[in-house]
């Protein structure tokens, strides 16, 4: 099929494709999602096929309002309502217990819970409203690859596999939403993101912040807990400390091929780089680095097929926790030594 590019003034045309059971990628404030009617099982199955996604990896359901969540989920408790009031619309995904049979197992991974999100992107909220149904929306990339932060990233991975892409420019945050499980006795952060643990705890009190992975025989409640994620074709290595970059530059000089370097401006400006280092700025701090991480990984995949990418690490606190979660998965936990 031809993958069409829709602009924000073509919402009705994009919604028409969703109503026909086709797939349309949409932007959020975090990354681009791959949209399908969450109530249409055949449409949801197309999402797994287009992405090459494991069938036990549940999908996040994107909604335009809290009333839609109440249609599918068990009654919302006060802490859930506080989270929604504080962080929605925004980059927080909330896992809730479902009413029996409310959503198909293709959406939930066979669990009795589902993840809901109200994205802070007006064009996508308009799209959900025009479609008249909640939309599943995993990241719109080939499964395991870096998440897309531009429409061109989606087009690269999924051209010919989906009906269209709603292009509303670059995303704001660059890392996916925080996922919190509110279906258990104690709330648990299953995936760190732009909403930090401290921000959440100021609203609802203590949460469990150690549940980011599951074993091979478990079904994950949220994306990113089990399978390889965010990895470009090149081998990514994390450079943990600024003092390590001079040694990293010496290592690059000894390589026969070009090596990608992703670092903040102060690191880039402080090193005498060899000619075979291709530099990609992550801006000035962890905030800009989080925004640019996936775009940088895709830059080296799409525009310069390097075999190695050295990428700057940050302390895993606040937003740095989300950044390092994604970077370590991109690198397969490989750190420059």
């Amino acid at each position: 099929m031809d993958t069409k590019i829709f602009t924000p003034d073509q919402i009705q045309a994009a919604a028409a494709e969703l109503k026909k059971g086709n797939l349309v990628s949409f932007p959020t404030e975090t990354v681009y999602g791959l949209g399908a009617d969450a109530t249409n099982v055949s449409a949801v199955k197309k999402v797994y096929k287009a992405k090459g996604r494991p069938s036990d990896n549940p999908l996040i359901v994107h909604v335009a309002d809290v009333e839609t969540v109440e249609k599918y989920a068990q009654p919302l408790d006060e802490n859930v309502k506080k989270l929604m009031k504080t962080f929605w619309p925004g980059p927080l995904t909330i896992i809730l217990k479902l009413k029996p049979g409310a959503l198909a197992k293709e959406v939930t991974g066979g669990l009795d819970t589902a993840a809901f999100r109200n994205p802070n992107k007006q064009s996508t909220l308009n799209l959900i409203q025009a479609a008249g149904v909640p939309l599943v929306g995993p990241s719109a990339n080939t499964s395991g690859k870096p998440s897309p932060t531009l429409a061109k990233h989606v087009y690269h991975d999924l051209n010919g596999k989906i009906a269209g892409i709603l292009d509303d420019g670059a995303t704001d945050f660059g890392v996916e939403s925080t996922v919190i499980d509110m279906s258990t006795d104690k709330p648990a952060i299953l995936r760190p993101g732009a909403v930090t643990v401290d921000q959440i705890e100021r609203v609802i009190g203590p949460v469990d912040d150690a549940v980011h992975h599951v074993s091979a025989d478990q079904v994950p409640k949220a994306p990113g807990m089990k399978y390889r994620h965010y990895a470009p074709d090149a081998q990514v290595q994390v450079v943990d400390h600024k003092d390590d970059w001079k040694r990293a530059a010496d290592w690059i000089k000894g390589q026969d091929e070009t090596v990608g370097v992703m670092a903040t401006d102060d690191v880039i400006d402080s090193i005498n780089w060899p000619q075979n280092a291709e530099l990609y700025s992550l801006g000035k701090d962890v905030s800009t680095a989080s925004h640019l991480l996936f775009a940088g990984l895709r830059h080296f995949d799409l525009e310069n097929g390097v075999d190695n990418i050295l990428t700057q690490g940050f302390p895993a606190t606040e937003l740095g926790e989300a950044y390092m979660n994604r970077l370590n998965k991109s690198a397969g936990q490989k750190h420059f030594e």
Side-chain angles (χ1 to χ4, degrees), residues 85-105:
K85 183 178 180 180
T86 306
F87 299 112
W88 279 16
L92 180 67
T93 294
I94 304 174
I95 294 177
L96 300 169
K97 289 184 179 179
L98 291 170
K99 295 175 182 176
L103 290 169
K105 61 180 176 60

Side-chain angles (χ1 to χ4, degrees), residues 109-122:
L111 301 172
D112 62 358
T113 58
F116 293 92
R117 175 152 125 74
N118 177 216
N120 190 16
K121 192 74 168 181
Q122 192 59 52

Side-chain angles (χ1 to χ4, degrees), residues 5-203:
I5 304 297
F6 298 108
T7 58
D9 61 355
Q10 296 175 307
I11 293 293
Q12 294 301 326
E17 293 293 341
L18 291 166
K19 290 177 181 178
K20 289 189 288 188
N22 293 326
L23 308 186
V24 175
S25 174
F26 55 79
T28 73
E29 75 276 32
T30 57
V31 300
Y32 272 74
L34 181 54
D37 178 352
T39 68
N40 182 332
V41 172
S42 63
V44 172
K45 287 180 178 179
K46 291 179 183 178
V47 171
Y48 288 97
K49 183 177 180 181
K51 282 177 58 70
R53 183 185 179 94
S55 60
D56 68 345
N57 202 2
L59 303 172
I60 293 174
V61 180
H62 291 66
V63 300
D65 50 52
V66 174
E67 289 73 22
T68 302
V69 178
E70 292 174 330
K71 179 179 177 181
Y72 297 97
Q74 298 277 2
L76 309 181
D77 67 29
E78 286 306 309
N79 278 342
V80 171
K81 291 177 181 178
K82 287 179 183 178
L83 289 174
M84 291 176 171
K85 183 178 180 180
T86 306
F87 299 112
W88 279 16
L92 180 67
T93 294
I94 304 174
I95 294 177
L96 300 169
K97 289 184 179 179
L98 291 170
K99 295 175 182 176
L103 290 169
K105 61 180 176 60
E106 285 78 7
V107 175
T108 67
L111 301 172
D112 62 358
T113 58
F116 293 92
R117 175 152 125 74
N118 177 216
N120 190 16
K121 192 74 168 181
Q122 192 59 52
S123 58
T124 289
L125 293 175
N126 292 344
L127 179 65
I128 297 169
Q129 290 169 338
V133 290
L135 302 179
V136 297
S139 56
N141 57 301
T142 300
S143 191
K145 292 300 181 182
S147 298
T149 56
L150 292 167
K152 72 175 184 179
H153 299 158
V154 182
Y155 193 83
H156 174 267
D157 281 16
L158 300 178
N159 178 32
K161 297 180 180 180
I162 65 176
I165 303 167
L166 175 58
D167 185 353
D168 196 9
T171 61
D172 298 326
F173 289 103
V175 295
E176 301 90 342
S177 60
T178 304
V179 178
I180 184 167
D181 187 357
M182 296 298 291
S183 70
T184 55
D185 291 338
K186 183 178 182 180
I189 304 295
L190 303 190
R191 183 177 73 184
V195 177
T196 67
V197 173
D198 284 348
Q199 289 175 311
I200 290 171
E201 291 188 332
R202 284 198 291 269
V203 176

Side-chain angles (χ1 to χ4, degrees), residues 209-259:
D209 185 31
V211 192
H212 297 166
H213 306 281
V214 298
S215 62
D217 60 347
Q218 290 179 290
V219 177
K221 279 188 171 182
M225 297 183 69
K226 182 175 180 180
Y227 296 99
R228 184 174 183 260
H229 272 68
Y230 319 121
D233 292 335
Q235 172 62 62
V236 178
Q237 298 183 60
V238 182
V239 180
D240 290 298
H241 306 289
K242 289 185 178 180
D243 293 345
D244 294 332
W245 278 105
K246 187 178 185 303
R247 187 164 52 84
D250 291 339
W251 178 83
I252 293 171
K253 187 175 182 180
Q255 304 304 303
D256 293 331
E257 64 280 323
T258 298
V259 175

